[in-house]
């Protein structure tokens, strides 16, 4: 036995003001980002729409192409970008080429957890954020006083993270920005003898590094976690794993985490993460998570 206590729960990101899931149904979700309303596809939405009248006047609709990918149809003029706030955090958002707007709002539930974990540690905390995207988790950790190393293979996403840091008043915070393949970076950090008190990862189902490295979640997650184990400090604080593969059970990363954390105590929590629909009491599933706190 590892000494780890395990629990399972549904996380719901229900503390937003500037974002809202207005309705969802028939393979689509209707969202408000600031004052703008969008319709985006979502394969997990397999039930009917609750309030069809809400869907009549969106600002933009993302339509998938039968040949793959898709494109935005802008019904009303939009600015090139705008900002939305979550408590003390501020983020730049804009429609991107693959239906996203530069932020995953369901992660608000994890941002709160990160902030609390760092603040209650009452000691200096170093955080490694892998597949960091535009830096939601980085902003949360840095705002709580952590030193953060933000890693993503896409330079554009790392630059976007820098912009978010400026918007959050964290331009001078101890954040290190790295454009690199995450697994390659981890291995170099191990050779350099580096360590981190906390590790956050949000790996995609599929991706490519800046030198063409191929990432597949089902093939590479175990290897990633096993290498991350070597980077944990002698007094680690937490590890957080997010995943968006619809067919992956939360037990998969939980079992992997139990294996790599063998011999340690603490609480291991896993489950689904979702957004509440404003039109009824449905929770839109947005992915799975696994988080361990020593």
């Amino acid at each position: 036995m590892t000494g780890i206590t395990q629990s399972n729960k549904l996380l719901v990101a229900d503390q937003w003001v500037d974002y809202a899931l207005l309705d969802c149904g028939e393979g689509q979700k209707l969202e408000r980002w600031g004052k703008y309303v969008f319709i985006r596809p979502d394969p997990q939405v397999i039930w009917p729409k609750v309030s069809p009248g809400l869907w009549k006047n969106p600002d933009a609709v993302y339509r998938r192409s039968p040949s793959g990918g898709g494109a935005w149809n802008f019904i009303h003029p939009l600015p090139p970008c705008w900002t939305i706030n979550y408590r003390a955090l501020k983020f730049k958002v804009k429609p991107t080429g693959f239906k996203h707007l530069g932020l995953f709002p369901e992660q608000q539930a994890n941002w709160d957890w990160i902030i609390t974990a760092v603040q209650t540690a009452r000691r200096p905390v170093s955080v490694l954020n892998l597949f960091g995207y535009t830096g939601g988790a980085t902003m949360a950790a840095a705002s709580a006083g952590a030193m953060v190393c933000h890693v993503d293979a896409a330079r554009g996403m790392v630059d976007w993270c820098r912009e978010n840091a400026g918007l959050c008043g964290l331009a001078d915070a101890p954040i290190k920005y790295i454009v690199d393949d995450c697994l390659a970076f981890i291995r170099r950090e191990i050779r350099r003898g580096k360590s981190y008190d906390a590790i956050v990862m949000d790996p995609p189902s599929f991706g490519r590094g800046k030198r063409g490295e191929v990432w597949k979640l089902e093939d590479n997650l175990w290897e990633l976690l096993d290498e991350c184990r070597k980077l944990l400090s002698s007094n680690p604080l937490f590890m957080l794993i997010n995943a968006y593969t619809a067919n992956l059970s939360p037990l998969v990363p939980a079992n992997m985490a139990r294996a790599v954390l063998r011999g340690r105590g603490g609480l291991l929590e896993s489950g689904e993460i979702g957004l509440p629909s404003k039109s009824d009491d449905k929770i839109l599933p947005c992915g799975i998570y696994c988080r361990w706190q020593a």
Side-chain angles (χ1 to χ4, degrees):
M1 299 294 292
T2 66
I4 289 176
T5 301
Q6 187 165 346
S7 68
N8 299 279
K9 65 185 291 188
L10 170 67
L11 297 184
V12 181
D14 57 0
Q15 299 300 308
W16 278 100
V17 174
D18 284 359
Y19 169 86
L21 177 65
L22 302 175
D23 195 12
C24 52
E26 300 170 24
Q28 295 179 311
K29 53 188 177 183
L30 180 71
E31 304 166 290
R32 176 178 58 78
W33 294 74
K35 63 180 181 179
Y36 303 108
V37 176
F38 297 84
I39 296 176
R40 297 193 291 159
D42 192 307
Q44 304 230 59
V45 183
I46 59 175
W47 47 81
K49 296 173 182 175
V50 174
S51 303
L54 294 176
W55 298 71
K56 292 182 178 179
N57 192 32
D59 292 293
V61 181
Y62 187 90
R63 302 192 187 280
R64 289 197 183 278
S65 168
S67 58
W72 286 100
N73 176 24
F74 294 101
I75 298 166
H76 303 130
L78 293 175
C81 63
W82 62 100
T83 60
I84 64 172
N85 296 350
Y86 176 68
R87 296 182 177 172
L89 304 179
K90 182 176 287 189
F91 303 101
K92 182 185 88 169
V93 295
K94 64 178 182 178
T96 66
F98 185 66
K99 81 174 183 177
H100 301 304
L101 282 90
L103 201 65
F104 297 114
E106 71 277 3
Q107 291 304 317
Q108 165 254 302
N110 279 324
W111 300 340
D112 290 348
W113 183 82
I114 291 169
I115 291 169
T116 300
V118 172
Q119 289 178 337
T120 57
R122 302 189 184 281
R123 61 180 171 94
V125 175
S126 57
V127 178
L128 174 62
N129 186 13
L130 301 169
F131 308 93
Y133 195 48
T134 63
T138 294
M139 298 306 108
S143 71
M147 299 169 285
V148 187
C149 181
H150 178 98
V151 187
D152 198 284
R155 180 171 296 278
M157 295 300 103
V158 175
D159 291 342
W160 197 330
C161 178
R162 285 183 185 270
E163 290 184 70
N164 283 335
L167 292 170
C168 291
L170 296 169
D172 296 324
I175 303 172
K176 187 176 182 180
Y177 302 93
I178 303 293
V179 180
D180 204 350
D181 172 77
C182 288
L183 193 54
F185 176 77
I186 289 169
R187 287 171 173 156
R188 281 197 299 277
E189 292 287 86
I190 293 169
R191 291 194 295 270
R192 288 189 283 248
K194 301 282 284 188
S195 64
Y196 295 89
D197 301 310
I199 299 176
V200 177
M201 62 188 73
D202 199 352
S205 300
F206 178 85
R208 291 186 182 275
K210 66 176 185 177
R211 289 181 291 273
E213 305 92 337
V214 175
W215 163 271
K216 289 185 178 180
L217 187 69
E218 63 272 24
D219 294 339
N220 299 113
L221 182 58
W222 168 258
E223 183 181 24
L224 177 72
L225 290 177
D226 194 40
E227 294 289 72
C228 283
R229 172 183 57 82
K230 304 170 188 176
L231 277 181
L232 285 173
S233 70
S234 59
N235 188 22
L237 185 60
F238 67 80
M239 179 182 287
L240 171 62
I241 307 161
N242 290 303
Y244 293 91
T245 303
N247 295 325
L248 190 66
S249 164
L251 288 175
V252 173
N255 285 335
M256 290 183 177
R258 285 183 67 89
V260 300
L261 295 168
R262 186 177 293 112
R264 300 181 186 270
L267 175 64
L268 182 69
E269 183 180 85
S270 64
E272 291 186 280
I273 188 167
L275 289 163
S277 173
K278 297 294 185 181
S279 61
D280 59 6
D281 59 356
K282 290 188 180 69
I283 303 296
L284 175 65
C286 298
I288 62 173
Y289 75 96
C290 173
R291 56 196 193 187
W292 168 78
Q293 188 167 6

